[in-house]
Amino acid sequence: MPDAYILGIESSCDETAAAVVRSGEQLISNVVASQIATHQPYGGVVPELASREHLRAIVPVVRQALAEANHTYNSVDAIAVTQGPGLAGALLVGISYAKALSFALEKPLIAVNHLEGHIHSVLLEEREKGNHEVQFPVLALVVSGGHTHLYLAAQRGSSWTYDNIGHTRDDAAGEAFDKVAKLLGLGYPGGPVIDRLSAYGNPRAVKFPPAQIKHRDRRDRRDGKQIAPSDGRPRFDFSYSGTKTAILRYVEIHQMRDSVEQRRRALSEIAKPKLDDIRVLCDKQTLDLVASFQRALIEDLVGKTLAAVEAYNVATLFVTGGVAANQELRQTFESESAKQGVPVYFPSRPLSTDNAAMIAAAAYPKFLARDFAAMDFSAEAALLLR
Ligand code: KG4
Ligand code: ZN
């Protein structure tokens, strides 16, 4: 198969990223400009600000990715860009720039689904380690700020096809981390803070009721069409809004509001708070609550994913997306999937969260199949993965 150097561009949420990857198996450069500082005061991503920051960062980020790879605009073989899902205005910045480059340089343009990108970040790194054989069926848990999705993946030629067998009915897991951190005055984004603070609390101190999914899934039907399998096969859906409400109630019952406000104010005065700055502002009750929340969420994620592994006779498990950076999540998946005798693969931490190497890697099978995007393709905020 011919070598191909693909320039990947990613701008679906709050990271402007560009990378050069060789043939889906070697990361040559990987540049990520994070907008955390812009969104921090608001405790979440503000779409208009995200678009503006992408506009500011896109050209220097792409230039840096090319320079670090010792490549030029002319020496890459194709340009790949995230088409969706994500914030429409943010996606459009990456797409417009990728189209302009493709047109001016006369290079093929490849549209990539962000979720397939997260799955390919695992594959890219496994190939770098020399592991070119993946046993199917693969189950991929994509767990991030926007998604908690389970995909059963099969192989068709050099491409993969996906079947969704579970998703969140309300908040994504990363969104739950972010909302709980906001509610407890711990700053933004919540995942990395809660990950590190949890080590100081007792994860068995607070009991949360297990997630109950009673209502019908609104997303089963869209525009009158069935989009989720209704063939009686088992589904493994998630729900985290109940846990978030339980924390809100806990804070009220235990009169923690004032201490939350004090912490929020104290942290807003520190430009870049370190873990110790945050930890000294948390009493034992808060640390126990944080650790118990993380444990409950991880037990639910791991329990349902491994039930799906069994139900679908899965040979290999992938866990990817921003939340896959979580230390306790990784350890729990490793020990529990070992008991079931199923290998589990994660991306390294830098490739767990949003990046463009995963977009360039996912584009390679499309490059081989000459599956190029037409110049009139556009952003799809709710793009499905099939
Ligand atoms: O994949 P990603 O960078 O962006 C999306 O596609 O959403 O994921 C970002 C999410 C945020 O919600 C963030 O809080 C969460 O991933 N996250 C973590 C950790 N690092 C990032 N959650 C738990 N533990 C972490 N260490
Ligand atoms: Zn993502």
Side-chain angles (χ1 to χ4, degrees):
M1 272 188 238
D3 260 343
Y5 290 86
I6 300 183
L7 168 67
I9 296 176
E10 151 68 35
S11 69
S12 66
C13 190
D14 60 343
E15 259 105 24
T16 319
V20 178
V21 172
R22 182 184 61 78
S23 307
E25 64 177 35
Q26 188 192 0
L27 189 155
I28 315 281
S29 69
N30 184 33
V31 177
V32 180
S34 167
Q35 304 178 1
I36 284 178
T38 305
H39 302 291
Q40 213 148 30
Y42 307 96
V45 178
V46 183
E48 291 77 8
L49 296 184
S51 307
R52 194 188 69 191
E53 291 301 308
H54 284 307
L55 272 175
R56 229 198 284 266
I58 191 102
V59 174
V61 163
V62 169
R63 278 199 189 134
Q64 191 183 338
L66 288 170
E68 287 182 11
N70 279 326
H71 268 272
T72 63
Y73 287 111
N74 280 305
S75 67
V76 292
D77 297 294
I79 290 136
V81 66
T82 306
Q83 180 178 16
L87 301 168
L91 288 162
L92 278 173
V93 177
I95 291 173
S96 309
Y97 190 54
K99 279 185 185 175
L101 285 181
S102 157
F103 180 74
L105 302 168
E106 297 179 11
K107 306 268 183 196
L109 181 62
I110 301 167
V112 175
N113 185 308
H114 181 83
L115 301 174
E116 185 168 32
H118 275 301
I119 293 170
H120 274 261
S121 66
V122 181
L123 274 175
L124 165 62
E125 292 190 306
E126 285 306 311
R127 288 180 183 137
E128 281 191 322
K129 290 179 212 156
N131 177 10
H132 290 263
E133 289 296 322
V134 175
Q135 297 298 316
F136 286 86
V138 170
L139 182 69
L141 170 67
V142 183
V143 63
S144 68
H147 295 88
T148 308
H149 279 41
L150 277 172
Y151 292 102
L152 203 56
Q155 201 170 22
R156 197 193 297 142
S158 62
S159 301
W160 289 27
T161 57
Y162 306 91
D163 196 359
N164 182 272
I165 58 157
H167 59 222
T168 177
R169 297 291 191 87
D170 38 57
D171 294 347
E175 192 180 354
F177 271 100
D178 295 337
K179 286 181 175 169
V180 166
K182 188 172 180 183
L183 210 140
L184 296 176
L186 296 170
Y188 173 85
V193 182
I194 291 181
D195 184 356
R196 291 182 298 154
L197 276 185
S198 290
Y200 298 92
N202 172 7
R204 305 283 168 212
V206 185
K207 297 265 174 293
F208 294 103
Q212 292 199 6
I213 303 172
K214 293 190 190 130
H215 51 283
R216 258 179 63 89
D217 188 352
R218 274 177 283 123
R219 279 170 292 189
D220 280 356
R221 299 182 79 79
R222 186 174 295 162
D223 303 333
K225 277 189 254 139
Q226 194 79 23
I227 57 163
S230 60
D231 52 8
R233 292 184 314 155
R235 288 194 58 79
F236 297 87
D237 285 351
F238 305 90
S239 166
Y240 297 114
S241 69
T243 312
K244 182 190 64 195
T245 311
I247 292 194
L248 188 62
R249 216 172 294 132
Y250 188 95
V251 168
E252 266 156 24
I253 291 170
H254 295 84
Q255 292 162 358
M256 295 164 76
R257 268 192 185 280
D258 287 349
S259 67
V260 165
E261 254 333 292
Q262 275 172 17
R263 181 163 50 243
R264 197 191 313 280
R265 238 175 290 123
L267 285 178
S268 70
E269 279 158 23
I270 308 174
K272 274 193 180 166
K274 296 197 176 57
L275 178 66
D276 279 344
D277 297 327
I278 305 172
R279 191 168 60 83
V280 295
L281 294 167
C282 296
D283 56 7
K284 182 171 177 324
Q285 195 176 29
T286 304
L287 293 171
D288 286 351
L289 183 59
V290 163
S292 302
F293 157 72
Q294 177 170 291
R295 182 93 295 253
L297 189 138
I298 289 173
E299 274 176 0
D300 183 76
L301 268 177
V302 175
K304 286 192 181 134
T305 304
L306 289 183
V309 163
E310 199 172 319
Y312 287 92
N313 224 350
V314 163
T316 311
L317 177 60
F318 282 17
V319 180
T320 185
V323 181
N326 187 279
Q327 184 69 27
E328 191 180 332
L329 179 96
R330 284 177 183 239
Q331 282 165 354
T332 313
F333 261 118
E334 264 161 9
S335 61
E336 294 303 309
S337 59
K339 285 184 201 156
Q340 252 170 266
V342 176
V344 56
Y345 300 129
F346 308 92
S348 63
R349 281 200 177 71
L351 288 202
S352 295
T353 46
D354 287 350
N355 65 85
M358 68 186 199
I359 302 304
Y364 183 60
K366 296 180 198 294
F367 179 83
L368 292 178
R370 302 185 61 79
D371 179 6
F372 301 137
M375 269 299 168
D376 62 356
F377 96 94
S378 194
E380 275 201 44
L383 186 64
L384 296 177
L385 179 60
R386 294 171 203 276

